[in-house]
Amino acid sequence: MATSFDIEPADATLGAIIRGIKINALDKRMWEALHEIWLEYALLIFPAQHLTRGEQIDFARRFGPLEAEMLKISNVKADGTLYTLQQDEEYLHLLEATHEWHTDSSYKPIHAKGSVFCAEIIPPGGTQTGWADMRAAYDALDPALRTRIEGLCAYHSFHQRHLKRGHTISREIDAKVRDDGLPLFGLNDGPPPLRPLVKIHPETGRKSLLLGQHVCGIKTMTEDESERLLRELMEFACQPPRTYHHSWQPGDAVLWDNRCLLHRSRPWDLSLPRVMWHTRIAGDPVTEAAL
Ligand SMILES: [Fe+2]
C-alpha cells in the first residue's frame, strides 16, 4: 500500500521509526496504511508528536475500545513532589516491577491488545523502554523445544509474581495512588487466568510465545520444572536481534502490539522526575480471553 510517510525499520526483528506524519491528523487511508505497518513491525515509534492527552486517547481509540484511557506512569505526585523510598516504598516497588519483561494485563481475564505511550518529562541523561519480539522468538526456537511447548498453558498472576519478588502489593495501593493522580486499575483479585504458552495472533495468524514476569506456573508441571522451562524460554526470547530499546525524548509517542511483544522500562535516577502517559487498548474479548 502506498504511503506518504517515512518508515525506518529498527535494527531488530521488530520496530520501525515513523516520520513525516502527525498521528493526531490521519485520514482513513493513512490510518489503514499505518495499521498494516503496525501489524508487520509490532512497534512503531513516532518522534516529536507532542500529543495532548485528548489526542493520545483519540489516536488509541482508532485501534479499538480502550481498557484504560490515561495512566500517568511517573515518580511525580499530583502535588509535584517526588515519591521517595522512605514514604512510598510500595508504589516504587510497582514502578520497579516494570523493569522486568512483561506483557500488559495478561493477569486479567482479558489480555490487552496494545498501548500508546507518550513521553512528557524525561530526566537529563535520558531513559529507555525496551521491547522483545515474541514472534521472532517462537520462529527461532529449536524445533524440539517448539514441539515440547506446543499445547502447554500457564497461569498469569500479578500478586503471585510480586510475592515471589518478596513484595506484597496491598489492596489499598490502587486507591492510594489514585489520590496522587496515578490511577492503577484492577490488579485482579480473581483466579489467575490460564493462557496458552504459544499464542496465535488474531489478525496476522502468526504464532508467538506468551511469556513475561506475570507467568507464574505451567499447568501440567511441577514448580521447579515450570520455573526452569520459563527461565530457558525467557533467556532465549529476550536477546538481540529480538529486542529493541528506545531512548526517549519529550514529545515522542510509541504504539505497540501487546499481543506479540514483551516490554520493560529501564531504571532511572528516582531523584529526577519522569512523566510518561499510557493509554491501553483493550484486547478482543474472544481472542484475548483466558482459557
Ligand atoms: Fe507495562
Side-chain angles (χ1 to χ4, degrees):
M1 185 181 290
T3 62
S4 53
F5 44 85
D6 299 331
I7 304 163
E8 181 196 325
D11 184 20
T13 60
L14 75 163
I17 296 101
I18 308 293
R19 294 190 178 87
I21 52 168
K22 289 298 279 182
I23 57 174
N24 61 338
L26 297 175
D27 62 22
K28 188 168 177 290
R29 187 189 64 83
M30 291 274 275
W31 180 78
E32 282 169 358
L34 194 72
H35 185 256
E36 265 187 43
I37 291 161
W38 179 55
L39 292 178
E40 182 181 345
Y41 289 95
L43 166 70
L44 301 182
I45 293 162
F46 308 97
Q49 293 289 321
H50 297 281
L51 300 184
T52 64
R53 307 284 89 78
E55 287 169 343
Q56 179 175 335
I57 292 168
D58 288 348
F59 176 63
R61 252 202 202 109
R62 299 188 81 160
F63 295 83
L66 302 183
E67 181 184 322
E69 280 197 354
M70 193 56 67
L71 306 168
K72 184 180 173 190
I73 312 285
S74 178
N75 59 331
V76 184
K77 298 184 190 188
D79 65 6
T81 61
L82 300 185
Y83 283 88
T84 62
L85 259 181
Q86 293 72 31
Q87 287 176 14
D88 312 290
E89 196 183 354
E90 193 178 28
Y91 175 71
L92 291 178
H93 282 323
L94 278 178
L95 264 192
E96 206 181 76
T98 67
H99 299 162
E100 289 183 27
W101 292 110
H102 66 282
T103 176
D104 287 336
S105 299
S106 67
Y107 50 84
K108 296 188 193 181
I110 310 287
H111 183 202
K113 178 178 188 175
S115 287
V116 179
F117 200 34
C118 296
E120 182 184 346
I121 298 175
I122 298 300
T127 167
Q128 289 189 325
T129 300
W131 290 267
D133 187 348
M134 296 297 107
R135 310 165 301 177
Y138 177 81
D139 291 347
L141 272 188
D142 178 83
L145 187 52
R146 204 183 297 158
T147 306
R148 186 174 164 217
I149 63 168
E150 207 72 56
L152 292 180
C153 298
Y155 293 101
H156 292 237
S157 166
F158 185 90
H159 292 293
Q160 284 192 43
R161 215 54 204 177
H162 279 267
L163 266 180
K164 282 201 174 164
R165 301 169 86 248
H167 306 141
T168 43
I169 303 298
S170 68
R171 306 297 187 238
E172 293 77 45
I173 184 84
D174 199 335
K176 182 175 177 291
V177 297
R178 193 179 298 126
D179 290 344
D180 282 329
L182 307 173
L184 292 174
F185 50 103
L187 302 175
N188 188 21
D189 292 336
L194 185 63
R195 303 189 176 283
L197 219 49
V198 177
K199 181 175 172 65
I200 297 175
H201 195 288
E203 292 184 86
T204 66
R206 278 188 78 176
K207 287 183 174 178
S208 63
L209 297 175
L210 181 44
L211 300 170
Q213 65 154 315
H214 299 118
V215 179
C216 61
I218 295 171
K219 190 183 175 193
T220 48
M221 290 185 172
T222 64
E223 198 178 332
D224 278 1
E225 231 185 329
S226 164
E227 285 294 314
R228 228 177 304 125
L229 177 57
L230 291 170
R231 203 175 316 121
E232 184 186 349
L233 290 170
M234 283 294 287
E235 280 172 10
F236 174 78
C238 300
Q239 294 291 337
R242 297 178 284 277
T243 53
Y244 179 77
H245 286 81
H246 176 59
S247 297
W248 291 98
Q249 295 291 328
D252 289 352
V254 158
L255 166 72
W256 79 81
D257 190 334
N258 192 60
R259 298 165 294 185
C260 57
L261 302 185
L262 299 183
H263 61 279
R264 64 174 181 179
S265 67
R266 303 311 292 143
W268 79 95
D269 178 350
L270 287 173
S271 68
L272 299 170
R274 192 193 82 155
V275 179
M276 310 284 293
W277 298 94
H278 174 112
T279 302
R280 194 167 296 181
I281 306 160
D284 184 310
V286 176
T287 53
E288 272 65 66
L291 295 173

